[in-house]
Amino acid sequence: MTIFRGTFIDTPENPFNGGNLRVDSDTGLLVQDGVIVARGPFLEIRSAHPAEQIVDLTDGVVLPGFVDTHVHFPQIRAVGGLGLPLLEWLDRYALPEEARMADVSYATGVANEFVRGLAAAGTTSALVFGAHYSDAVDALFNAASGVGLRITSGLVLSDRLLRPELLTTPVRAYAESLALANRWHNVGRNRYAVTPRFSLSCTDDLLATCRELMDAIPGALFTSHVNENEAEIASVADLFGGADYVTTYDRHGLVDRRTVLAHNVHPTDVELKVLATSGATVAHCPTSNAALGSGLFPLSRHLQYGVRVALGSDVGAGTGFSLLKEGLQAYFCQQLLADQGRPLTAAHLLYLSTAAGAEALDLPHVGHLSVGQHFDAQLLRPADGSPLAVGLTHAEDTEEALARIFTLGTPADVQAVWINGTLLHS
Ligand code: GUN
Ligand code: ZN
């Protein structure tokens, strides 16, 4: 067993429902086989377990590992393609890179960069948009297994409107997805997600196949995009006889508790009601929404209807892996919405980037650092003299310190990351 000693900050209770930020200084977490088995004042934990090894983290702040609910593995070399709206950005930056995933050695290089990038940003769990090619998805799961990340991913499916080399058929999609799920679902920390790219690029036949896949892969997640961009939404309505975007998935039985839909910047009230009743989660991707000019996310309306919301980096339309940056951008976005915005505190930002994501991905044993949880955590320790180090020294209290971490923190400040109590990145 190991005793981790430090200042631990987490959100075991949802701050949108009145939960408080939990801050425990000079605390000990006793970890056995990756699980937190005791927690309390360090001196008490140590005297109860005097023979156990101590890991001293008192020179920084420990947060739960981040949970990224929407990120595209093939797009990391496409980050920074600025200046275009969604559909033009896909054609110019994202889809050419996605087509390169046909080359498995290229895909393997990208997969290794991707998992290292996630871990270095303090992300320990993620729902990942895979590639349109099975071998590339294998490369991702292999890379993730090497690092030990908790990854849920799958073959990306489209059968219309994209460049031809990215298209499949319902029959092929079913066979290849099932074969991947048989290789990876619930193997180690990997799980499978049925992943149509967006209903714009999927026929009803392909979406019906997605439902068959959900039935054939017990415990799989379902993920796609929704209501991101006004031109996209208008095209979807044209293609589906005027249906709203959520209905294009819902009429195939694809909107439920295991569903994570990215963006939802322009929902109708009816769609919000469906999302709330079904228990689906919206992955809010604020840097992507700003970079592509998609719009300002209506968080208040989501909360009013009771829709679950968590954070996604949406690399490569998003601007990097760090959920600190996404949290800050989520805050900016609500500020810019003024009267329509939901003011966010540092506690909200931490919740959205940790426990909310864990709930969305059905990972009940991660997201906070209570007894019984797995020790998935990150140590934030900025370089001496850096603006964040100065800010932390002068913070009045820990909530203010956490706000400064979200404002100034980057992956360079993530000094160490653990999954299941095992050190990944130092
Ligand atoms: N909609 C369909 N594909 C994509 C993608 O790769 N990125 C974003 N942001 N939206 C999408
Ligand atoms: Zn996306």
Side-chain angles (χ1 to χ4, degrees):
M1 290 194 284
T2 302
I3 301 171
F4 291 91
R5 175 185 192 177
T7 296
F8 297 88
I9 308 179
D10 64 355
T11 53
E13 306 293 337
N14 182 348
F16 290 103
N17 295 337
N20 288 321
L21 188 66
R22 176 168 62 173
V23 179
D24 284 335
S25 301
D26 208 7
T27 288
L29 266 56
L30 181 66
V31 174
Q32 180 176 31
D33 299 329
V35 175
I36 302 164
V37 293
R39 172 178 173 130
F42 170 71
L43 293 177
E44 282 178 21
I45 297 285
R46 191 190 55 184
S47 59
H49 305 276
E52 303 306 335
Q53 178 207 359
I54 294 165
V55 176
D56 189 333
L57 308 175
T58 50
D59 56 353
V61 166
V62 183
L63 305 180
F66 288 139
V67 181
D68 188 338
T69 63
H70 185 75
V71 56
H72 294 253
F73 121 69
Q75 295 181 8
I76 80 166
R77 297 183 188 181
V79 171
L82 302 180
L84 295 175
L86 173 66
L87 299 177
E88 290 79 357
W89 176 83
L90 283 171
D91 283 343
R92 167 77 178 79
Y93 292 110
L95 300 182
E97 191 59 22
E98 300 251 357
R100 287 182 198 111
M101 296 294 128
D103 174 351
V104 69
S105 67
Y106 187 90
T108 301
V110 172
N112 287 322
E113 293 166 3
F114 177 80
V115 295
R116 277 199 299 267
L118 279 181
T123 296
T124 49
S125 301
L127 177 56
V128 179
F129 245 72
H132 289 267
Y133 302 96
S134 285
D135 288 352
V137 179
D138 279 323
L140 170 68
F141 279 125
N142 271 317
S145 304
V147 173
L149 291 167
R150 300 185 197 277
I151 293 296
T152 307
S153 189
L155 184 68
V156 180
L157 305 175
S158 289
D159 66 346
R160 66 174 168 194
L161 293 178
L162 305 185
R163 49 202 290 155
E165 64 269 43
L166 297 180
L167 300 182
T168 186
T169 62
V171 169
R172 209 179 102 207
Y174 186 86
E176 291 182 358
S177 300
L178 202 55
L180 274 164
N182 285 336
R183 287 199 284 284
W184 295 109
H185 187 51
N186 290 330
V187 174
R189 295 178 189 146
N190 303 301
R191 293 179 310 165
Y192 199 76
V194 176
T195 312
R197 182 159 212 114
F198 54 167
S199 51
L200 186 68
S201 68
C202 299
T203 62
D204 273 309
D205 280 353
L206 187 60
L207 293 170
T209 299
C210 289
R211 179 65 248 173
E212 288 168 27
L213 282 166
M214 291 299 292
D215 294 335
I217 311 167
L221 295 192
F222 175 82
T223 191
S224 194
H225 296 91
V226 76
N227 287 323
E228 180 175 0
N229 164 288
E230 279 166 348
E232 169 214 22
I233 295 165
S235 301
V236 166
D238 280 349
L239 286 166
F240 287 89
D244 70 48
Y245 212 140
V246 168
T247 296
T248 64
Y249 301 118
D250 192 37
R251 68 183 173 202
H252 292 286
L254 293 170
V255 180
D256 63 22
R257 177 68 185 84
R258 308 197 72 74
T259 300
V260 179
L261 295 173
H263 302 288
N264 210 33
V265 179
H266 307 284
T268 64
D269 289 336
V270 171
E271 289 176 299
L272 288 169
K273 236 178 249 174
V274 171
L275 292 170
T277 317
S278 64
T281 298
V282 168
H284 174 30
C285 304
T287 72
S288 167
N289 293 342
L292 299 179
S294 301
L296 295 172
F297 180 70
L299 177 60
S300 293
R301 290 175 62 220
H302 283 75
L303 296 172
Q304 274 156 20
Y305 279 96
V307 180
R308 296 170 191 271
V309 176
L311 279 184
S313 66
D314 197 25
V315 159
T319 62
F321 285 112
S322 181
L323 290 193
L324 295 174
K325 197 201 263 194
E326 295 304 326
L328 181 66
Q329 186 69 32
Y331 166 83
F332 288 159
C333 174
Q334 297 310 308
Q335 291 292 100
L336 290 169
L337 280 165
D339 289 354
Q340 316 283 319
R342 172 65 160 89
L344 296 175
T345 65
H348 293 120
L349 305 186
L350 185 62
Y351 172 75
L352 288 169
S353 48
T354 57
E359 283 170 35
L361 304 197
D362 193 19
L363 293 170
H365 300 302
V366 307
H368 58 91
L369 298 170
S370 303
V371 171
Q373 297 295 101
H374 292 282
F375 187 75
D376 283 17
Q378 55 180 315
L379 174 67
L380 284 153
R381 185 159 78 78
D384 292 342
S386 65
L388 179 54
V390 171
L392 293 181
T393 307
H394 296 284
E396 298 239 314
D397 56 34
T398 314
E399 178 133 13
E400 197 169 291
L402 186 62
R404 291 175 184 202
I405 288 171
F406 272 98
T407 306
L408 290 163
T410 73
D413 302 307
V414 177
Q415 190 148 56
V417 176
W418 295 262
I419 298 185
N420 250 16
T422 300
L423 184 65
L424 293 194
H425 156 76
S426 191

